[in-house]
DNA sequence: TGTACATCAGTGAACGCGCGTTCACTGATGTAC
DNA sequence: TGTACATCAGTGAACGCGCGTTCACTGATGTAC
């Protein structure tokens, strides 16, 4: 049952998308090839028509997740409308802590990525660089020569906060970690803080 | 070959210590019971005389790692001498990124902890609360009602930074992430920044 | 205090299971003539 | 354009391996008398 080239490409894409979700949900090591294929509506045997190994899929899936995130940030920043504020709000929400559809791999499989092969780390690192660029290109930072440095710091704080909020065994503590981090980041950036009480978008709405 | 109670307790402690190191080095899921027992100079069969399951060891080992970190922070803060500065410096060093002996589990197995069982998350969360307390009790924050909030923010930024630095495929990027995070945290706290150029301890020395 | 017995830390082999990967096979697609 | 053949996406079973866990056994320790 050979498939057309378009169908093959579609299947490959589907596997990557499903894998990206499953990896975030259950972890890189705990998610099996058979699980992913089943979730994509296929059987495990066909996997190796698309990928040389599970590791290659890990690299592609994590890279794709990162790229999706970068595109989302870039797109909404270009559209203006306090896009960056929305992203900080959304990133530091309880919803993102549980969101496996568009969650950030740096949070959901962060410590596993540090042990991943070179290909995976390269793909993810490129995504990270893209995020830094996207954030530092935000209009409110245009004049600042420290835009990159600030973007790096903001990302560290956000990713650490969500990582910790996901570990915490107490919902109140999780919320506190997210809230305090958001407040501090807001305080860091007066032009964001100014807007804060005007037109903050509810988290659920900010979720694309 | 039954052992005396003291010896049994010693063996149990040894297993926990070795496990804490191996878990940080290779991850919770990728480290096997047999690996740990071998590293402790034992065979796998004896494991279940000390623990009901691997999961219980995970909880104990991660809890112990956290407690060790808390004790270390508390102790050096009590001793004065810009202890907190030293800890920030040390935490955000390239050395800590590779340090498996006294590295922070929230960094080294962070994303795996979020998926761990309740017992493990409880043990680690208690450690985290201890860290927050220890940092916010630092003398330089004594008068500040926002000490806890600041401690939470600082921890998020530090843990995120080291997580990211460990993932990055480029040493320069890793160093930049650590440096920018350190600079921003220093800038946040003038009394730390004041001291900064006076008596900063070299990282290698700050490593206990 | 000495002796006989129960306990139990540790060994090393085995069990069952799930994983990543391979493989013979199927049959629709794409291609060469 | 039509036909015969090669290709290859997908199937489902099997392979080998490593894992967490169990178990019969050993022999030093602790305990009851």
């Amino acid at each position: 049952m050979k498939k057309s080239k378009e169908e093959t490409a579609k299947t490959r894409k589907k596997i990557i998308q499903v894998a990206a979700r499953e990896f975030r949900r259950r972890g890189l090591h705990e998610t099996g090839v058979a699980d992913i294929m089943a979730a994509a509506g296929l059987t495990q045997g066909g996997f190796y028509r698309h990928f040389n190994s599970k590791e290659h899929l890990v690299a592609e899936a994590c890279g794709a997740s990162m790229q999706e995130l970068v595109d989302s940030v870039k797109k909404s920043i270009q559209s203006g409308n306090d896009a960056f504020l929305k992203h900080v709000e959304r990133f530091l929400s309880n919803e993102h802590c549980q969101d496996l559809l568009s969650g950030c791999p740096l949070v959901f499989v962060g410590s596993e990525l540090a042990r991943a092969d070179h290909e995976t780390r390269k793909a993810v690192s490129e995504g990270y660089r893209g995020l830094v660029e996207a954030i530092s290109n935000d209009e409110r930072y245009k004049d600042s020569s420290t835009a990159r440095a600030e973007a790096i710091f903001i990302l560290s704080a956000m990713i650490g906060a969500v990582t910790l909020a996901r570990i915490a065994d107490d919902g109140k503590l999780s919320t506190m970690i997210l809230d305090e981090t958001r407040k501090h980041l807001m305080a860091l950036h007066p032009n964001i803080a100014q807007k804060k009480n005007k037109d903050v978008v509810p988290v659920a709405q900010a979720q694309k």
Side-chain angles (χ1 to χ4, degrees), chain A:
Chain A
M1 30 173 92
K2 186 176 177 180
K3 296 293 171 66
S4 70
K5 284 186 182 175
E6 298 88 55
E7 273 186 300
T8 302
K10 208 173 152 187
T11 301
R12 191 188 148 89
K13 210 166 187 174
K14 171 96 184 179
I15 295 170
I16 292 173
Q17 278 182 331
V18 167
R21 168 164 48 86
E22 293 302 304
F23 284 146
R24 277 177 292 205
R25 180 159 67 186
R26 298 174 40 195
L28 302 181
H29 203 267
E30 278 120 305
T31 304
V33 168
D35 298 326
I36 294 164
M37 292 301 275
L42 297 160
T43 57
Q44 56 187 321
F47 178 81
Y48 295 88
R49 297 283 169 201
H50 295 282
F51 305 95
N52 288 328
S53 68
K54 185 189 170 185
E55 284 200 319
H56 281 87
L57 174 63
V58 168
E60 288 221 43
C62 293
S65 294
M66 287 301 295
Q67 199 52 54
E68 220 172 287
L69 196 61
V70 173
D71 291 344
S72 158
V73 172
K74 271 187 181 165
K75 195 176 152 191
S76 70
I77 280 179
Q78 276 168 3
S79 78
N81 287 331
D82 296 316
F84 182 62
L85 167 63
K86 281 182 200 164
H87 265 95
V88 172
E89 290 274 350
R90 186 212 164 322
F91 204 97
L92 293 171
S93 68
N94 279 310
E95 282 75 11
H96 179 232
C97 283
Q98 262 89 42
D99 181 10
L100 308 153
L101 244 112
S102 58
C104 176
L106 296 169
V107 169
F108 286 78
V109 290
S111 61
E112 287 182 273
L113 286 174
R115 278 184 281 273
D117 64 7
H118 183 257
E119 196 191 349
T120 302
R121 291 173 66 204
K122 191 183 161 194
V124 171
S125 296
E126 270 167 29
Y128 172 77
R129 285 184 209 104
L131 272 185
V132 172
E133 286 311 309
I135 294 173
S136 55
N137 280 338
D138 189 17
E139 55 178 331
R140 76 193 71 247
Y141 294 122
K142 258 183 192 156
D143 304 332
S144 169
S145 63
T146 59
R148 255 180 75 85
E150 283 186 357
I152 286 172
F153 178 67
I154 290 165
L155 280 171
S156 290
M158 290 202 299
I159 285 161
V162 181
T163 297
L164 291 170
R166 278 174 48 78
I167 294 171
D169 64 340
D170 172 20
K172 279 187 185 176
L173 180 57
S174 294
T175 303
M176 187 182 289
I177 293 167
L178 297 174
D179 285 352
E180 294 304 341
T181 303
R182 198 191 62 238
K183 279 182 202 165
H184 272 85
L185 290 183
M186 295 298 177
L188 255 179
H189 301 283
N191 39 7
I192 293 179
Q194 270 172 25
K195 301 267 184 178
K196 202 192 161 191
N197 295 321
K198 273 201 253 167
D199 53 0
V200 165
V201 187
V203 163
Q205 205 177 315
Q207 263 191 69
K208 176 193 95 143

